[in-house]
Amino acid sequence: MATKPPAENMARSTKQRTAILELLEHDDAFRSAQDLHAILREAGSKIGLTTVYRTLQAFAEADIVDVMRLPGGDHLYRLCSAEEHHHHLVCRSCGRTVEVAGPTVERWANKVAADHGFTEVGHTLELHGLCAECSQSFKAQ
Amino acid sequence: MATKPPAENMARSTKQRTAILELLEHDDAFRSAQDLHAILREAGSKIGLTTVYRTLQAFAEADIVDVMRLPGGDHLYRLCSAEEHHHHLVCRSCGRTVEVAGPTVERWANKVAADHGFTEVGHTLELHGLCAECSQSFKAQ
DNA sequence: TAGGTGTTGACAATGATTGTCATGACTGGG
DNA sequence: CCCAGTCATGACAATCATTGTCAACACCTA
């Protein structure tokens, strides 16, 4: 897949934004702003941490990336293919991520909410485990 | 319900721990450590913020309270009645909380995980919306 | 190419949470 | 009932991700 233009609703296309996007495209795991910043600096970029944060935020608002929260509270970002609502199944060893549609959960959530008189219901759901490969390694060991 | 002794696996029972527990017992919404600290100080207690944090952490580890994370990343705590695994349906206006069992979700999560070769799967799920009462208020307005 | 405007980046500021450590409060044994 | 030993407390400093600020800069269009 070729690098997309940074975003429709962001006024300008800059080196920094392009660099961040490219990085995300070659990565199928969630990364933190700090991670991405470190990688970019490592690669010789002079990009600022503030910019990385701002850019990722903008991407998130534009639905270009998905955000997830670590137990510690940090934000992780990942380029997402699916357009519609979906959830993530994340390997807690290698970070590999699978996108999962969850019509079952949506229905369940709506029903439960209705049962209790709640309206305007949203939900957050995350699955985490060990992917096939990492399961192997652990077993081998 | 009478105030329970602070905890089986905490060595000592102190005024501070009892105070925190009592507060949680009279509250059916999630509260932050800072909130609880503020309330206790308001009520004349000289309890320290550090203590509140530590106590809540200990309670959480002992499964005396449930923890949830705000989008901002803060921790919220609430005394929980159900012993088994369950989820929460939280009103984002008044904070009222309903405990919800989710066998449907558990099953779904396990199936999805298995389909992708994942093992040792866990999940986090949260429902948030407007409770019946708050829905009314908003409509009226 | 020139200018206006959106972006950047260094730095300071925020704010929740955690670490530290001397002082103080429980509890069981005598 | 009192004492010692140990665990808990609280004031304070330290962390650390994230956000705010603002002058300097880069992109895009005319």
Side-chain angles (χ1 to χ4, degrees), chain B residues 51-77:
Chain B
T51 303
V52 177
Y53 273 105
R54 268 187 308 229
T55 305
L56 288 173
Q57 264 180 201
F59 283 174
E61 258 175 49
D63 281 320
I64 294 173
V65 299
D66 271 13
V67 192
M68 104 178 266
R69 259 165 235 290
L70 236 47
D74 319 8
H75 302 58
L76 299 185
Y77 301 88

Side-chain angles (χ1 to χ4, degrees), chain B residues 25-141:
Chain B
E25 272 168 9
H26 299 319
D27 210 329
D28 66 342
F30 278 86
R31 301 292 175 199
S32 71
Q34 311 259 356
D35 280 353
L36 295 175
H37 178 246
I39 294 172
L40 288 169
R41 299 294 283 228
E42 194 77 20
S45 167
K46 303 230 179 308
I47 194 172
L49 184 53
T50 314
T51 303
V52 177
Y53 273 105
R54 268 187 308 229
T55 305
L56 288 173
Q57 264 180 201
F59 283 174
E61 258 175 49
D63 281 320
I64 294 173
V65 299
D66 271 13
V67 192
M68 104 178 266
R69 259 165 235 290
L70 236 47
D74 319 8
H75 302 58
L76 299 185
Y77 301 88
R78 177 175 184 275
L79 205 57
C80 257
S81 42
E83 291 293 319
E84 338 93 37
H85 181 70
H86 62 278
H87 303 289
H88 292 106
L89 172 56
V90 186
C91 176
R92 65 174 152 256
S93 173
C94 69
R96 188 171 316 172
T97 300
V98 179
E99 288 171 23
V100 180
T104 310
V105 177
E106 322 292 312
R107 273 197 302 273
W108 174 83
N110 287 329
K111 178 175 182 315
V112 167
D115 285 353
H116 291 277
F118 276 61
T119 62
E120 310 272 331
V121 186
H123 64 272
T124 62
L125 170 60
E126 241 142 55
L127 304 177
H128 49 274
L130 292 176
C131 70
E133 201 168 310
C134 291
S135 298
Q136 283 300 324
S137 321
F138 276 88
K139 225 186 307 175
Q141 190 201 45

Side-chain angles (χ1 to χ4, degrees), chain A residues 16-34:
Chain A
Q16 292 87 340
R17 287 175 184 175
T18 305
I20 292 178
L21 256 190
E22 268 181 13
L23 212 54
L24 289 170
E25 271 168 11
H26 300 318
D27 209 329
D28 66 342
F30 279 86
R31 300 292 175 199
S32 72
Q34 311 258 358

